[in-house]
Amino acid sequence: MDSDTEAARPAGSPAAGVVHRLAERHETLATVESLTGGLLAASIVEIAGVSGVFRGGLVVYATELKSWLADVPEELLAARGPVDPDVAVALADGGRRRCGADWGLATTGVAGPEPQDGKPVGLVYVAVAGPSGSRVRQLDLDGGRDHIRAVTVREALRLLAERLDDTAAGEADGRPADPAGAGRR
C-alpha cells in the first residue's frame, strides 16, 4: 500500500488527501471541534508536511467556549443549542478567523451514550468555511461513541475535499468558484 512521505498514514487517507491538496494550493486550515474533542486535528497532524498547512485548532467542548473562543454568537447558542447546522457553520467560520486560516473545518453533535438537549445520539453536523462561502452537512449516525466520532472525522474531511473540488472546478472554467453562501446545504 502506498503511504505518505513518512509512511505514517495511507496515501489515500482523507487527511492526507486534503493536506496535500491544500499544500499545492498554498492554503491553510484550522479546526474547531466539539464532539470529536481533538480527533480531527490529530488525524490532520499525523500527515507529513502538515506544518505549512495546519494553523491550529480549538476544542470547544463546553457550550460557553463555543462563544468565547470560536466567536459563535451567544444568541444563536441560546436559541438553538450547540448541536445545530448554523452553529456548525459559525464554528467553522470563527475558527478560520481566529486562527488566520483560509479554511475552517468544524464538528458538533451528540456522540452519546445519552441524548443531549433533546437531540438524539448520532445527530452530527460538520461544516466548512472558506474563501468563497460555507457548507454544512447533517449526519445521522448509528453505533457507539468511538464509531460516531471516527465517522465524523472522516465525513468532515470528505466535506472539505468536496469544497476544494468545487473551488478548483470554478477556477478551471473561469467562473467564480462558489459565491458566498451559494454552496451551503
Side-chain angles (χ1 to χ4, degrees), residues 127-143:
V128 62
S132 60
S134 60
R135 188 171 292 169
V136 63
R137 179 169 295 150
Q138 179 177 323
L139 308 174
D140 297 297
L141 305 173
D142 292 323

Side-chain angles (χ1 to χ4, degrees), residues 21-174:
R21 288 170 65 196
L22 287 167
E24 288 171 356
R25 295 163 61 117
H26 305 287
E27 293 177 334
T28 56
L29 173 65
T31 58
V32 181
E33 303 178 65
S34 185
L35 85 147
T36 49
L39 193 59
L40 177 59
S43 73
I44 291 166
V45 300
E46 288 180 348
I47 307 305
V50 74
S51 61
V53 169
F54 190 62
R55 295 280 302 157
L58 304 170
V59 176
V60 290
Y61 212 72
T63 300
E64 66 272 10
L65 292 182
K66 291 169 178 60
S67 176
W68 295 348
L69 297 177
D71 292 335
V72 176
E74 290 179 19
E75 305 77 33
L76 177 61
L77 287 165
R80 309 241 190 107
V83 181
D84 177 83
D86 291 330
V87 169
V89 169
L91 287 167
D93 193 48
R96 177 179 180 241
R97 282 191 319 272
R98 284 285 190 161
C99 294
D102 297 301
W103 296 90
L105 191 57
T107 65
T108 188
V110 183
E114 300 295 324
Q116 176 187 336
D117 300 326
K119 308 286 173 106
V121 172
L123 175 62
V124 174
Y125 295 97
V126 294
V128 62
S132 60
S134 60
R135 188 171 292 169
V136 63
R137 179 169 295 150
Q138 179 177 323
L139 308 174
D140 297 297
L141 305 173
D142 292 323
R145 265 180 86 71
D146 291 344
H147 176 75
I148 289 169
R149 293 173 70 233
V151 171
T152 299
V153 167
R154 186 181 73 231
E155 291 301 314
L157 291 165
R158 191 174 119 209
L159 180 61
L160 175 56
E162 290 171 9
R163 288 296 290 139
L164 293 171
D165 287 345
D166 291 348
T167 59
E171 292 163 2
D173 67 11

